[in-house]
Amino acid sequence: MEGALVARDRVGVQDFVLLDSYTSEAAFLDNLRKRYRENLIYTYIGTLLVSVNPYKELDFYSVKQMEIYQGVNFFELPPHIYAIADNAYRVMCAEYNNHFILISGESGAGKTEASKKILQYFAVTCPTTEQLQIVRDRLLLSNPVLEAFGNAKTLRNDNSSRFGKYMDIQFDFKGAPVGGHILSYLIEKSRVVHQNNGERNFHIFYQLLEGGEDDLLRWLGLERNPQKYMYLIQGRCAKVSSINDKSDWKTVRKAFSVIDFTETDIEHLFGVIASVLHLGNIQYEEDSNGHAIITNGSQIKWISKLLGVHLSILQEALTHRKIEARSEEVLSPLNIDLAFCARDAAAKAIYGRTFTWLVNKINGSLANKVGFLLANTVKTVIGLLDIYGFEVFDTNSFEQFCINYCNEKLQQLLIEMTLKAEQEEYEMEGIEWEPIPYFNNKIICDLVEEKHKGIISILDEECLRPGEATDLSFLEKLEEKVGDHAHFQTRKLADQKTRKSIDWVDFRLLHYAGEVTYCVVGFLEKNNDLLYRNLKEGSTVDFSNCTVFTVSLTETSLSVQVATQFKNSLASLIEILMSKEPSYIRCIKPNEGKEPGKFDDVLIRHQVKYLGLMEHLRVRRAGFAYRRKYELFLQRYKSLCPATWPHWHGPAADGVERLIKHIGYKPEEYKLGRTKIFIRFPRTLFATEDAFEYSKHLLGTVPIAFLSSIKLEACWRGALARREAKRRMWAVETIRRFIKGFINRKNPLCPENNEFINFVQFTYLTKLRDHVPNNVLDKNWLKPPAILEETSEMLKKICMRNLVRQYCQGITAEKKAQLQQKVVASAIFRGKKDGYPQSISQPFADTRLNVNPKVLQLIRGEKVKYGTPVVKYNRNGFKARERQLVLTQSAAYVVEMAKIKQKIDYVTLKEVIKVLAKGQNGDVILQCEHIFETVTKLCMLANKQNAVQVVQGSLQFHISSGKAGMIAFTTGQAPQIYKAKNGHLTVVRPDLRTRILSYI
């Protein structure tokens, strides 16, 4: 999967499919870690993108970067979210089918940022006109509005989406974005009235107080200090260093004007938001009858004004409820606890309905433009699903139950569309396949959603049944109906060990991502949508009409509980996704502390598991990267084969077979199924696609096929000329920058010389890579430029140390002994004796003979260290006799066959030229073939390296007491040794030094 334009990754592999140990989770994490430390946050698994949140700004999201990825085959460039977006867009345009990009991961993993990057990519790279620019701006600016009203700071993420969002981006037949539609799921309304410690309410409240104009705040009756409002101080972190509420307020205000909000709409919208803050400050006290009454009238007056509701009706709604008595409705006063519940219910209802209205308003703005531009034309869409990640808190309530159920469904979608679907498709096509085991979480989805038996159905029954239902009675029903399920536990049902970690009001689900314990307190209230029922049915106030917003709320919807509504919405979403071609982005959170560069192995291993990444990798390595119906494949690529162009008459399968044989597919690159062709390697497909693009220019395909050949040639030449002009312009600009950099090369690093210096550094280091020394004796080193002299010297030292280390590690014990002997030989003979240089490369032998066993007995078990054949010359007549020289640890022995003729103790050894044997009256004269080897070993065993003398001309030796002899050295035609007339032992050597003889 190597790209044609970009070199392979310096660290790790850019596609997990290229891992050798692709079944190893440790290898998977190691590759992810290497890339993350180099800020390479994107990695592929085939066409799936794994993204690790860097928790810092990176510099590869520029317009220039978008242009690099535009129109490029998927694997030609390093992994990037732009490649996913571009691939979905190109396939949509080429095949006119709908796509969706599923972005999943934990809260804080970067899902929202990923969806924003994709929207920005489409906005910048897609073709547009002046009219379509308005639609494009609305698509982009809908994001900050929805984030302001639907996102909040949590413990895990400073910009966590507290609602699910699915956005369809609509394109016309030219590929231009012309509109969109947004579906929202389960806004976390409970956050309006309660936040955990370290968390905030929705961003819009803080933006309004921080950035709102003074006149606006006065009209709303608000103060800038968030500490004044009960709904904003529970988390104790109204101010967050990473969030600029004032700047975000300006972005939201600008977005409202672009999205076509009128000033009246904006005034009423913020009037509703302000009324929620005032509701939070309403306080109650008991009257003499124990009924709740509102103590401070100023807050409710503001609410009455902002919502346009009569004061008395509002007071009645917040302190009473309607009950039926004898077919009549009677107002029943509330106690303090119920009054506070009614207040909070009102706040949540108002905010929830307002958010629904906001989404509908944005959709209306986009839909109107789409309808105007696309009358009677075909639309294609790319969907973006950015939905809450899996959540596990210290206390998990109804909201976490719904969120995690949603994640279960999305995981099931992944299983069905990626793993299970792949295996089944291959089997249907008759392609050989090795089944891959995986955990099918349908069993967990059924536990939650099964009709009449699932948790949601049991919850609905408990909410609707007559009599007094409580959260504990709901828990008892669960134990009764699903208590035997393998993925369900309560304190009552758990074993002794597990029971300690589950409270009496808790139940535990064994999700695909791990165990989650849910507290049932509040489940019935939240599922009943009491927050709306209290206002719609239990009071005289109709909040769906109390503002200018008209939200569609029918009486029928009141009979459907919140969890069931969410389940139905989720089923509709899954149905939408199943009808589209998928792309996947898996977002990973590297650590809990949002720290740049920190890689938490345990946390990431858990996410890799529940995201199903290892299963997906195994499928990709076992399967094929691309498959298409024969008809579609042949229709697209038939121009590459003369036999199939322009028309193929016969079965499409035969045409495809003829086509790929002509192209030159190898047998291991493809398989032919019953109805489809399967291509194993992406590079095979890319080569085919590139050939197809080239052939279009040669063939003059539609629409230029209808032009005359002259006009076609002119168009083609014009295209080539424009391409060449663009290339030359780029070259001119590059040369200009480098000349300027060269002029300023000696100055400190600055914008004028930065690129030039970087290029010089890169060029030198690249050349140096190919010219480093190969061994410790190689002293060559590439000369560096002046700015890299210090760096070069450091690198040279490091390189030499590494070479020395490698050399030392490669030395065996035998080689070390050889080197030690060679060092001694060098000290003795270097520069003193002819023939020594030629002997350096010849290794010394351990021994030159096999010693007779009888000799071994005679030397009384001394270990033989070395032995070599020698010729001994008598001192008087110089008669030559063949002998053996045997060296042990303590003495040297002159041996004849099985007899020891002479023993020379090393302690008596004075010189290696004159050898004096203890108890004898003369020196020993020996001739040896391997003089350097023998003398070196003798000196090392005797530990007398300084006793060697190398003489020239002649040598006097001791014959007996008072009598000396002489050895004369001369040159001649042939080597010989004889007794001269003068009585001297004469040694003749030839002038050509083909052999070296030395004597002791």
Side-chain angles (χ1 to χ4, degrees):
M1 299 180 185
E2 297 84 350
L5 304 177
V6 177
R8 303 304 297 164
D9 291 334
R10 294 182 295 105
V11 179
V13 293
Q14 66 181 21
D15 192 330
F16 285 108
V17 173
L18 300 177
L19 281 177
D20 288 332
S21 304
Y22 68 93
T23 58
S24 168
E25 188 176 77
F28 189 101
L29 289 173
D30 184 61
N31 189 67
L32 206 61
R33 185 188 304 108
K34 287 179 181 178
R35 295 181 60 75
Y36 182 70
R37 287 176 178 170
E38 294 295 326
N39 289 328
L40 302 173
I41 64 170
Y42 296 124
T43 313
Y44 290 137
I45 304 178
T47 56
L48 179 147
L49 180 70
V50 179
S51 171
V52 184
N53 194 337
Y55 290 125
K56 62 181 178 181
E57 292 294 328
L58 297 176
D59 59 357
F60 45 69
Y61 297 108
S62 62
V63 174
K64 182 178 179 181
Q65 197 76 12
M66 295 180 188
E67 292 171 351
I68 290 174
Y69 279 86
Q70 187 176 3
V72 178
N73 278 330
F74 191 80
F75 290 97
E76 286 188 11
L77 294 173
H80 203 291
I81 196 168
Y82 292 158
I84 293 287
D86 185 72
N87 186 64
Y89 176 78
R90 284 190 297 110
V91 175
M92 180 201 69
C93 292
E95 300 181 3
Y96 289 101
N97 56 10
N98 297 326
H99 276 250
F100 79 91
I101 300 174
L102 174 57
I103 307 170
S104 60
E106 279 195 7
S107 177
K111 301 185 300 300
T112 300
E113 284 300 313
S115 65
K116 290 196 303 194
K117 299 300 182 190
I118 292 172
L119 276 176
Q120 290 167 3
Y121 180 84
F122 289 146
V124 171
T125 60
C126 295
T128 187
T129 64
E130 205 168 317
Q131 288 179 315
L132 296 177
Q133 184 69 36
I134 298 172
V135 178
R136 191 171 72 171
D137 291 342
R138 288 179 179 178
L139 281 169
L140 282 176
L141 290 174
S142 66
N143 234 29
V145 172
L146 292 173
E147 283 186 19
F149 285 83
N151 288 25
K153 181 198 179 307
T154 65
L155 292 174
R156 297 185 172 188
N157 185 2
D158 289 349
N159 188 34
S160 177
S161 297
R162 308 317 301 160
F163 71 107
K165 180 182 70 175
Y166 175 76
M167 173 185 281
D168 264 339
I169 308 167
Q170 298 173 337
F171 298 86
D172 65 8
F173 70 100
K174 296 178 182 177
V178 292
H181 187 80
I182 298 168
L183 297 175
S184 65
Y185 301 93
L186 195 69
I187 180 74
E188 190 188 18
K189 291 176 282 190
S190 61
R191 182 169 293 274
V192 175
V193 300
H194 174 74
Q195 307 92 44
N196 293 325
N197 191 33
E199 298 190 349
R200 296 207 315 175
N201 211 321
F202 292 102
H203 293 324
I204 190 61
F205 295 108
Y206 307 92
Q207 293 172 5
L208 174 60
L209 297 182
E210 183 71 25
E213 299 77 15
D214 292 336
D215 291 342
L216 175 62
L217 293 182
R218 277 194 297 271
W219 182 78
L220 297 173
L222 298 176
E223 298 179 38
R224 289 200 182 275
N225 186 3
Q227 302 298 325
K228 299 282 187 179
Y229 302 99
M230 287 295 298
Y231 285 165
L232 302 184
I233 63 173
Q234 297 172 51
R236 296 186 179 88
C237 62
K239 297 286 186 181
V240 181
S241 60
S242 62
I243 299 175
N244 189 334
D245 292 313
K246 194 169 187 177
S247 174
D248 293 342
W249 167 261
K250 293 178 181 178
T251 304
V252 171
R253 289 288 297 193
K254 177 185 175 183
F256 278 135
S257 61
V258 174
I259 298 173
D260 206 21
F261 279 65
T262 66
E263 282 301 317
T264 304
D265 289 338
I266 296 172
E267 282 182 12
H268 286 298
L269 175 61
F270 289 119
V272 173
I273 298 302
S275 71
V276 172
L277 293 179
H278 288 303
L279 269 171
N281 283 355
I282 288 178
Q283 297 298 317
Y284 298 91
E285 66 180 17
E286 279 187 352
D287 63 9
S288 57
N289 298 318
H291 301 151
I293 58 173
I294 298 173
T295 57
N296 187 352
S298 62
Q299 299 294 336
I300 199 168
K301 288 178 182 177
W302 278 110
I303 298 170
S304 175
K305 171 197 168 185
L306 295 172
L307 295 182
V309 180
H310 195 278
L311 184 61
S312 62
I313 297 176
L314 189 59
Q315 285 179 323
E316 188 177 87
L318 293 173
T319 57
H320 294 74
R321 66 176 176 179
K322 285 181 181 179
I323 60 173
E324 289 189 6
R326 297 177 183 178
S327 302
E328 293 182 359
E329 289 185 343
V330 179
L331 289 176
S332 174
L334 303 173
N335 61 30
I336 284 186
D337 291 337
L338 290 177
F340 276 114
C341 287
R343 179 200 69 176
D344 292 344
K348 291 187 285 186
I350 291 171
Y351 194 87
R353 308 308 168 186
T354 302
F355 187 82
T356 301
W357 174 87
L358 184 67
V359 172
N360 290 339
K361 179 70 177 176
I362 294 173
N363 283 337
S365 173
L366 297 174
N368 289 338
K369 200 66 179 178
V370 172
F372 173 75
L373 292 173
L374 291 180
N376 300 321
T377 60
V378 177
K379 300 188 294 288
T380 51
V381 302
I382 294 178
L384 289 179
L385 179 58
D386 171 18
I387 205 159
Y388 11 64
F390 201 89
E391 290 189 347
V392 184
F393 299 129
D394 292 335
T395 301
N396 302 289
S397 189
F398 180 81
E399 291 81 7
Q400 281 68 50
F401 172 78
C402 293
I403 287 171
N404 294 343
Y405 162 55
C406 174
N407 277 270
E408 286 286 356
K409 292 294 289 183
L410 292 178
Q411 176 67 6
Q412 188 181 31
L413 178 72
L414 171 66
I415 291 170
E416 290 179 2
M417 296 190 73
T418 307
L419 304 179
K420 188 177 179 180
E422 289 241 343
Q423 294 185 18
E424 290 178 352
E425 182 180 21
Y426 289 15
E427 290 171 3
M428 288 172 57
E429 289 291 325
I431 302 295
E432 186 177 347
W433 178 260
E434 180 181 344
I436 298 174
Y438 62 89
F439 173 66
N440 190 339
N441 70 330
K442 184 178 183 298
I443 186 174
I444 304 174
C445 295
D446 289 344
L447 170 63
V448 176
E449 67 182 9
E450 191 173 9
K451 210 168 186 179
H452 306 304
K453 297 179 182 179
I455 294 176
I456 291 177
S457 294
I458 297 170
L459 180 60
D460 284 354
E461 288 175 13
E462 199 65 7
C463 289
L464 296 173
R465 74 174 174 86
E468 187 168 342
T470 65
D471 295 319
L472 288 178
S473 67
F474 163 60
L475 184 60
E476 290 172 0
K477 277 286 183 65
L478 288 179
E479 291 173 339
E480 177 186 338
K481 294 194 174 183
V482 297
D484 58 348
H485 198 285
H487 293 266
F488 178 87
Q489 291 178 341
T490 64
R491 186 183 181 92
K492 179 180 176 181
L493 301 173
D495 56 40
Q496 189 70 28
K497 184 178 179 181
T498 309
R499 188 174 298 156
K500 298 177 182 179
S501 60
I502 305 177
D503 202 293
W504 287 107
V505 292
D506 294 346
F507 69 90
R508 178 174 293 170
L509 293 184
L510 307 182
H511 288 281
Y512 76 97
E515 299 177 350
V516 183
T517 303
Y518 300 97
C519 177
V520 298
V521 176
F523 261 55
L524 266 65
E525 176 191 344
K526 294 172 181 178
N527 188 56
N528 261 328
D529 206 5
L530 181 62
L531 51 108
Y532 181 72
R533 289 169 181 268
N534 282 346
L535 301 173
K536 179 73 177 177
E537 299 178 326
S539 78
T540 57
V541 183
D542 184 355
F543 273 92
S544 64
N545 295 317
C546 70
T547 68
V548 296
F549 314 127
T550 303
V551 181
S552 176
L553 296 169
T554 66
E555 290 299 320
T556 306
S557 67
L558 297 175
S559 64
V560 181
Q561 313 309 114
V562 173
T564 300
Q565 291 179 32
F566 183 67
K567 182 182 78 170
N568 295 338
S569 299
L570 198 53
S572 300
L573 173 64
I574 297 297
E575 187 175 342
I576 291 171
L577 299 181
M578 293 288 285
S579 67
K580 294 178 170 62
E581 291 288 329
S583 296
Y584 300 103
I585 299 175
R586 294 287 178 264
C587 298
I588 290 178
K589 179 169 61 175
N591 60 78
E592 291 285 6
K594 295 173 277 191
E595 301 175 39
K598 184 178 179 182
F599 192 93
D600 186 339
D601 283 42
V602 175
L603 178 65
I604 294 176
R605 182 178 288 107
H606 175 67
Q607 295 173 79
V608 167
K609 178 182 177 182
Y610 80 68
L611 289 172
L613 298 182
M614 294 302 298
E615 287 83 357
H616 193 91
L617 175 57
R618 281 196 289 270
V619 169
R620 280 295 177 183
R621 279 294 291 260
F624 297 82
Y626 177 87
R627 78 293 315 257
R628 277 292 181 271
K629 292 278 188 184
Y630 288 133
E631 293 79 7
L632 294 174
F633 189 85
L634 183 61
Q635 178 64 29
R636 182 163 185 80
Y637 299 115
K638 62 183 180 181
S639 59
L640 300 179
C641 175
T644 56
W645 175 260
H647 300 291
W648 169 256
H649 302 285
D654 296 343
V656 169
E657 189 172 3
R658 178 74 68 86
L659 171 62
I660 60 178
K661 284 182 179 178
H662 177 79
I663 296 174
Y665 280 17
K666 297 178 181 177
E668 65 272 15
E669 293 178 330
Y670 73 98
K671 290 286 184 183
L672 297 177
R674 295 188 178 97
T675 64
K676 295 180 180 181
I677 178 174
F678 289 75
I679 298 178
R680 186 179 298 278
F681 306 115
R683 63 171 179 265
T684 307
L685 175 64
F686 298 155
T688 308
E689 185 69 19
D690 291 342
F692 170 65
E693 289 294 325
Y694 179 73
S695 72
K696 286 200 299 187
H697 298 303
L698 298 180
L699 296 172
T701 55
V702 176
I704 61 173
F706 298 101
L707 300 175
S708 66
S709 59
I710 296 176
K711 191 171 182 180
L712 175 61
E713 183 179 357
C715 291
W716 176 239
R717 289 181 181 276
L720 291 178
R722 285 189 293 273
R723 185 187 302 173
E724 180 65 17
K726 186 177 181 180
R727 189 187 66 81
R728 289 183 178 180
M729 182 61 68
W730 172 85
V732 168
E733 289 296 325
T734 302
I735 292 171
R736 183 181 290 118
R737 288 198 309 273
F738 273 67
I739 290 174
K740 196 171 185 179
F742 178 80
I743 294 171
N744 295 278
R745 68 189 183 280
K746 295 183 179 179
N747 297 336
L749 197 64
C750 60
E752 285 76 18
N753 64 11
N754 182 49
E755 191 172 358
F756 175 81
I757 290 176
N758 287 341
F759 176 76
V760 170
Q761 292 171 339
F762 176 81
T763 303
Y764 173 73
L765 293 175
T766 304
K767 289 182 178 179
L768 182 60
R769 179 184 61 189
D770 300 325
H771 293 84
V772 293
N774 295 321
N775 54 66
V776 293
L777 298 178
D778 187 355
K779 302 300 181 183
N780 294 323
W781 189 260
L782 192 65
K783 185 177 180 181
I787 59 176
L788 284 176
E789 287 179 349
E790 185 177 349
T791 303
S792 175
E793 192 61 32
M794 292 174 62
L795 290 173
K796 184 177 180 180
K797 290 179 180 178
I798 293 171
C799 179
M800 190 53 62
R801 287 177 183 174
N802 187 50
L803 289 172
V804 171
R805 179 172 173 270
Q806 290 177 354
Y807 182 81
C808 292
Q809 287 178 340
I811 296 177
T812 62
E814 294 78 8
K815 190 172 182 180
K816 183 177 180 180
Q818 280 283 338
L819 290 174
Q820 290 172 340
Q821 294 176 36
K822 290 290 184 179
V823 169
V824 173
S826 175
I828 296 172
F829 297 109
R830 185 179 179 187
K832 300 177 183 178
K833 181 161 182 60
D834 295 338
Y836 169 71
Q838 290 81 357
S839 72
I840 293 175
S841 61
Q842 302 298 322
F844 290 168
D846 292 332
T847 185
R848 296 285 178 179
L849 54 81
N850 294 320
V851 181
N852 193 304
K854 292 184 179 180
V855 174
L856 294 177
Q857 292 178 358
L858 293 174
I859 63 177
R860 299 175 183 176
E862 284 189 68
K863 187 176 180 181
V864 175
K865 297 294 184 179
Y866 179 73
T868 185
V870 295
V871 177
K872 182 177 180 297
Y873 292 89
N874 289 344
R875 291 186 297 277
N876 292 318
F878 298 122
K879 185 176 180 179
R881 293 182 174 86
E882 291 187 358
R883 298 285 187 268
Q884 294 176 344
L885 178 64
V886 177
L887 304 181
T888 68
Q889 191 66 44
S890 59
Y893 296 88
V894 180
V895 177
E896 179 186 5
M897 299 299 288
K899 299 178 183 179
I900 295 178
K901 303 297 290 184
Q902 195 170 1
K903 177 182 179 182
I904 307 171
D905 290 321
Y906 293 148
V907 294
T908 67
L909 191 66
K910 294 182 178 179
E911 291 180 314
V912 183
I913 294 301
K914 297 181 179 180
V915 180
L916 178 62
K918 184 178 180 182
Q920 300 206 7
N921 296 323
D923 295 337
V924 180
I925 303 173
L926 302 175
Q927 176 193 353
C928 177
E929 286 291 315
H930 307 282
I931 184 64
F932 300 107
E933 177 181 291
T934 304
V935 172
T936 299
K937 289 181 179 289
L938 177 61
C939 289
M940 291 182 70
L941 290 169
N943 196 21
K944 294 188 177 183
Q945 288 88 335
N946 297 326
V948 177
Q949 295 182 20
V950 180
V951 298
Q952 303 289 336
S954 62
L955 170 67
Q956 188 177 21
F957 63 93
H958 182 64
I959 297 176
S960 61
S961 179
K963 187 176 180 181
M966 186 70 67
I967 302 175
F969 299 94
T970 184
T971 59
Q973 295 294 325
Q976 56 179 320
I977 300 174
Y978 62 93
K979 182 177 180 181
K981 293 180 180 180
N982 57 7
H984 295 171
L985 179 64
T986 303
V987 179
V988 181
R989 67 172 184 179
D991 290 333
L992 297 175
R993 300 174 183 179
T994 58
R995 188 178 178 188
I996 301 174
L997 297 177
S998 296
Y999 303 89
I1000 299 178

